[in-house]
Amino acid sequence: MLEPPSRPSFADHAWHGVVPIEENRPIARDMYRIRFRCPEIARSIVPGQFVMLRLPGTDDPLLGRPLALYDTVRDAARGAVGLDLVYQAVGKMTRRLAQIAAGDSLETWGPLGNGFPPAESAHVVMVAGGIGYTPFLALAAESLGLRSYGDPPRRVPRAERVTLCLGARSADYLPPTDEFRHAGVDVLTSTDDGSAGHHGPVTDLVGQAVAHGPHPCRIVACGPEAMMHRTARIARELGIPCQVSLESPMACGIGVCFSCVAKVRAASGGWDYRRTCVEGPVFDAESIEFE
């Protein structure tokens, strides 16, 4: 069995409160970008962490919804004062979220989770399926030395190159990638129906991305479980370290309810369940027992 984690829960330092919405707009089919002001979370959050959102003043839906950091919003003095999040309207909570407007409010708590660990790498290859691209803009900006995150700002080795491999069902489900390209990220796209980019799964692009970039390389992945599993196998075959950001359903986000557990292997060969919201959502891909 795995040893219990020795570090304190990230939720021990989470901020909780009601925040004002500044913007909530569609960016692709069933996909929205929401911005709210919250300096308390914005100052300390790092790429790969998330916040929980809940509609205030109602118990329908009762539970909140986890959303990964897309990027922080900065004021004229370059201080982090707000958050941008991207979500897909697929259930009751997110469909109702899509109906709120600037001036409305949300209940939120965070930052939560462990985020992407700083790592020495000349080339960061990000593999995303659909809404799984959301944690990667901040990671790309940090990896390229364009932005810093955390309080105090964490020190991250600078990468020479960052590539985003982004896949979706069809062209209308592909989110805009202008911000990635503006940051200097190489963007490769794929669609299941061939309506944009490569015709086929996004994992087809991983080998191409690795071959055309400098080494050493690091792969990070977020999206459907089958996609992450395939990416992990490719990384293993290529001998490249890989981290995955799991999208496990969560109810509390602070490790109390155990609704988001993932099966994680130990070096000894045993395994245990780990809470995605506390011990994750970012795990070494080799440690995950994919179904």
Side-chain angles (χ1 to χ4, degrees), residues 198-286:
H198 169 72
H199 186 183
V202 68
T203 49
D204 288 350
L205 302 174
V206 177
Q208 172 188 341
V210 170
H212 293 166
H215 288 271
C217 184
R218 170 193 183 195
I219 296 176
V220 292
C222 184
E225 184 171 308
M227 184 220 77
M228 291 191 290
H229 191 186
R230 174 59 179 156
T231 301
R233 290 203 305 267
I234 293 171
R236 187 185 312 119
E237 292 165 0
L238 295 173
I240 295 173
C242 178
Q243 289 91 38
V244 292
S245 180
L246 302 186
E247 295 185 313
S248 305
M250 299 178 191
C252 71
I254 58 174
V256 175
C257 69
F258 284 78
S259 67
C260 64
V261 292
K263 200 172 181 179
V264 178
R265 292 192 294 267
S268 62
W271 63 272
D272 199 357
Y273 287 112
R274 287 287 183 249
R275 295 165 296 178
T276 301
C277 66
V278 175
E279 283 83 40
V282 180
F283 294 91
D284 188 297
E286 285 295 301

Side-chain angles (χ1 to χ4, degrees), residues 10-25:
F10 291 96
D12 292 345
H13 307 289
W15 181 89
H16 175 254
V18 176
V19 295
I21 302 303
E22 296 184 345
E23 183 180 280
N24 189 27
R25 60 184 177 86

Side-chain angles (χ1 to χ4, degrees), residues 101-289:
D104 292 336
S105 59
L106 278 174
E107 181 182 357
T108 187
W109 53 104
L112 302 167
N114 57 357
F116 294 104
E120 190 81 39
S121 177
H123 187 196
V124 180
V125 176
M126 306 180 297
V127 186
I131 197 68
Y133 90 112
T134 55
F136 291 148
L137 180 63
L139 178 62
E142 185 181 57
S143 299
L144 292 169
L146 303 176
R147 297 282 295 270
S148 59
Y149 300 85
D151 185 21
R154 64 180 191 169
R155 300 180 65 181
V156 175
R158 185 166 180 173
E160 298 175 29
R161 186 173 182 178
V162 175
T163 301
L164 172 65
C165 302
L166 175 61
R169 282 180 282 176
S170 59
D172 54 342
Y173 282 101
L174 275 174
T177 56
D178 293 349
E179 288 174 294
F180 285 87
R181 298 178 194 273
H182 181 72
V185 176
D186 297 315
V187 178
L188 305 175
T189 60
S190 72
T191 50
D192 295 341
D193 64 359
S195 55
H198 169 72
H199 186 183
V202 68
T203 49
D204 288 350
L205 302 174
V206 177
Q208 172 188 341
V210 170
H212 293 166
H215 288 271
C217 184
R218 170 193 183 195
I219 296 176
V220 292
C222 184
E225 184 171 308
M227 184 220 77
M228 291 191 290
H229 191 186
R230 174 59 179 156
T231 301
R233 290 203 305 267
I234 293 171
R236 187 185 312 119
E237 292 165 0
L238 295 173
I240 295 173
C242 178
Q243 289 91 38
V244 292
S245 180
L246 302 186
E247 295 185 313
S248 305
M250 299 178 191
C252 71
I254 58 174
V256 175
C257 69
F258 284 78
S259 67
C260 64
V261 292
K263 200 172 181 179
V264 178
R265 292 192 294 267
S268 62
W271 63 272
D272 199 357
Y273 287 112
R274 287 287 183 249
R275 295 165 296 178
T276 301
C277 66
V278 175
E279 283 83 40
V282 180
F283 294 91
D284 188 297
E286 285 295 301
S287 72
I288 298 298
E289 187 77 31

